Amino acid sequence: EVYSNTGGQMSKATPRAAVAKFAAGGKPVAKKDLALIATTYGSVYVARVAMGAGDTHTVKAFLEADAYDGPSLIIAYSHCIAHGYDLVHGLDQQKAAVNSGHWPLFRYNPKLLEEGKNPFQLDSRTPSIALKDYVYNETRYTMLTKSKPEAARQLLELAQKDVQQRWKLYEYWSKMPSNGEEKKEEGGKCMLDLSKTIDLSTVYLGLKLKSPLVASSSPLCEDIGNIRRMEDAGAAAIVLHSLFEEQIDAEENAW
């Protein structure tokens, strides 16, 4: 959860509120969800595991990943001396990470789609302990309570909200029916009813967006019809071609 090979600098994978190099005041933004990103490919077997919370679940994920005819990614919780506690308690801390909702266990198996089943399987139970009961076992979090107690309190509140929001999203996907229910017809195609998902609104470059989905600049963005279809599919914004590029093209055409 840091760039360990170069000394332990903050990375996008560093959890919110954790202290690291370049984040002496605590990581101010949420940890990226690598597992969630990988599931969006649709053709990759993805699992998040933690031996301390479920050894049987871990073995099952490895067997499924090995059996899958395609790329597989398993993200395993690995306790580290840099977390700041006696690693004899490492497996207990893994269990606390899962029970707090910080490290929800799941498996995404594309093979289930062929069977008409939901490929997303949430294997954790509803969080049963507060996030503080997990993070405050580690020095990387507690050191901020001593140097900047108010900042630590505020960041912990935000981190707890991160956990709750992610859990709701995972829970929604795990309960999504595979028989086409809760879907609506639009443009002749069956689409998920995004109005029933959680609030994914965000702010980017000062613009308030309904979701973080932004279509990159491409020939698709040149047609208003395509732009409207991307909006129907959930895109909150698009990136247009550079105005400078248009100016250069215009100057070339003028000659």
Side-chain angles (χ1 to χ4, degrees), residues 8-85:
Q9 295 90 350
M10 176 189 69
S11 74
K12 290 184 176 66
T14 303
R16 195 198 293 265
V19 173
K21 293 180 180 179
F22 302 125
K27 171 81 175 295
V29 296
K31 170 187 173 72
K32 75 173 181 181
D33 194 332
L34 178 61
L36 180 60
I37 294 171
T39 63
T40 62
Y41 284 88
S43 58
V44 179
Y45 178 92
V46 185
R48 184 188 287 120
V49 303
M51 281 288 292
D55 49 4
T56 301
H57 171 263
T58 301
V59 173
K60 185 174 184 179
F62 270 81
L63 292 174
E64 288 182 349
D66 182 60
Y68 179 65
D69 186 17
S72 297
L73 174 66
I74 296 177
I75 303 174
Y77 189 106
S78 302
H79 44 268
C80 174
I81 192 65
H83 292 171
Y85 65 95

Side-chain angles (χ1 to χ4, degrees), residues 85-136:
Y85 65 95
D86 188 340
L87 295 188
V88 71
H89 303 296
L91 294 181
D92 292 330
Q93 189 65 350
Q94 288 194 21
K95 186 175 182 179
V98 173
N99 288 342
S100 70
H102 171 77
W103 194 264
L105 307 179
F106 78 83
R107 290 166 294 139
Y108 180 90
N109 192 347
K111 285 181 63 176
L112 295 179
L113 285 171
E114 301 172 4
E115 304 172 12
K117 300 178 181 178
N118 186 345
F120 189 91
Q121 302 165 85
L122 182 58
D123 299 310
S124 293
R125 296 180 179 178
T126 302
S128 58
I129 64 174
L131 183 64
K132 64 180 178 64
D133 294 333
Y134 155 65
V135 299
Y136 284 161

Side-chain angles (χ1 to χ4, degrees), residues 158-221:
L158 293 173
Q160 183 68 66
K161 290 180 180 178
D162 293 338
V163 166
Q164 294 168 345
Q165 184 177 22
R166 182 174 61 244
W167 179 261
K168 288 180 181 179
L169 180 61
Y170 280 19
E171 192 173 43
Y172 175 84
W173 282 342
S174 69
K175 295 180 179 179
M176 189 174 295
S178 57
N179 58 6
E181 294 180 1
E182 293 188 4
K183 295 185 178 181
K184 62 179 181 180
E185 295 291 334
E186 188 165 341
K189 297 182 179 180
C190 192
M191 304 179 65
L192 292 177
D193 188 352
L194 296 179
S195 65
K196 296 183 179 180
T197 63
I198 63 173
D199 180 17
L200 295 177
S201 61
T202 187
V203 176
Y204 179 67
L205 297 178
L207 301 174
K208 186 174 182 180
L209 305 179
K210 65 180 181 181
S211 79
L213 299 177
V214 178
S216 62
S217 178
S218 74
L220 287 175
C221 299

